[in-house]
Amino acid sequence: MPAASILLFSFAVSGCNKCKDEEPRARITNNGTQKASVQVKTSGGNTVNINNVDPGTSSAYANYAPGQVTFTITVNNTNYVKTTDISTCYQYDISIDRSNVITVSGIDRND
């Protein structure tokens, strides 16, 4: 294979991203003892709701617009709020443990 072809092939492979400017997304993994819900409110004022996720289950991913986002997580009538800047091509796993401790982890879908 000529050197120019190898260089072009290497660039094409390394330049391939799994995600192309796709909206961020989030889901709930509920390892707690009560049903859990999350409201995702974007800086544009739109909301996405993931409601009534039973203990021991995970919701499907829900997409929303990038920008500043406020997650309001409700467990046992208690609200937990986290505001953060969100970029395209990220997914967020909102995990709830048996003590209702909530962690939010973001993953770049291009990794």
Side-chain angles (χ1 to χ4, degrees), residues 3-82:
S5 295
I6 292 172
L7 182 60
L8 181 60
F9 177 75
S10 296
F11 178 76
V13 170
S14 66
C16 292
N17 288 332
K18 298 174 190 173
C19 178
K20 303 280 189 205
D21 293 328
E22 296 171 22
E23 290 183 328
R25 62 188 184 182
R27 74 173 176 179
I28 297 176
T29 298
N30 188 354
N31 296 313
T33 58
Q34 304 288 323
K35 286 187 179 190
S37 299
V38 65
Q39 178 188 65
V40 181
K41 185 173 183 179
T42 67
S43 54
N46 295 326
T47 60
V48 173
N49 295 307
I50 305 171
N51 293 320
N52 300 316
V53 178
D54 287 317
T57 65
S58 293
S59 70
Y61 281 101
N63 294 350
Y64 49 92
Q68 188 173 59
V69 172
T70 301
F71 294 110
T72 303
I73 301 126
T74 305
V75 178
N76 200 21
N77 294 321
T78 302
N79 289 337
Y80 305 89
V81 179
K82 177 173 177 63

